[in-house]
Amino acid sequence: MRDEQGRVAAGLRGVVLAVAGLALATGCTWQQQTLARADIVGTWTEGHTGTLLFKDDGTVVATNLAVINNDGDKVSECSGTGKWGAYPDDKQAEKVWTTVCDGNPWEFGGSKAHPEMRRSVGDPDNGDAQILSRK
């Protein structure tokens, strides 16, 4: 019985290591990125999460952007037009703020080839995030 449990534990460790290796190899891990303002301009979307269209004039248009409650559940959607700006300055950005669809700032990550933006939603202890990809 003890030998069988050891084999099961070793097998589970192997699966965990294989999944971690695959995530690293395919770029599925979040890596903080800094984007130039020109790289932010455009459409960012993700099916059920909604769409943000960042315009060069500082305007942002939200379409069906998910509103998430503290449990991490989508409870409604937000659409509208507002302004956007970049942190830490207006030339390079680690994060971007919007005046439409209130929420936490969006931070940039993913990879240089496939940038993503995310913001924390719901209960901070749960680690939930909305993630949008560059279209």
Side-chain angles (χ1 to χ4, degrees), residues 14-31 110-111 114 116:
V15 169
V16 169
L17 290 172
V19 169
L22 182 62
L24 288 172
T26 59
C28 292
T29 59
W30 183 267
Q31 297 175 10
S111 68
H114 302 285
E116 295 179 329

Side-chain angles (χ1 to χ4, degrees), residues 64-92:
N64 301 327
L65 193 63
V67 176
I68 310 294
N69 68 13
N70 277 346
D71 294 328
D73 299 321
K74 178 179 171 181
V75 293
S76 64
E77 294 178 344
C78 174
S79 296
T81 301
K83 296 287 182 186
W84 71 274
Y87 298 118
D89 61 39
D90 222 27
K91 294 184 175 94
Q92 295 268 82

Side-chain angles (χ1 to χ4, degrees), residues 118-132:
R118 73 176 179 185
R119 69 176 177 177
S120 61
V121 293
D123 184 344
D125 293 334
N126 292 340
D128 292 327
Q130 283 179 299
I131 300 176
L132 303 177

Side-chain angles (χ1 to χ4, degrees), residues 1-16:
M1 178 76 165
R2 195 172 277 255
D3 187 43
E4 184 177 324
Q5 288 175 338
R7 283 195 307 261
V8 169
L12 288 174
R13 278 193 300 272
V15 169
V16 169

Side-chain angles (χ1 to χ4, degrees), residues 94-116:
E94 292 178 2
K95 295 182 180 182
V96 68
W97 56 266
T98 66
T99 62
V100 64
C101 300
D102 292 339
N104 294 323
W106 295 88
E107 63 180 333
F108 299 105
S111 68
K112 290 288 184 185
H114 302 285
E116 295 179 329

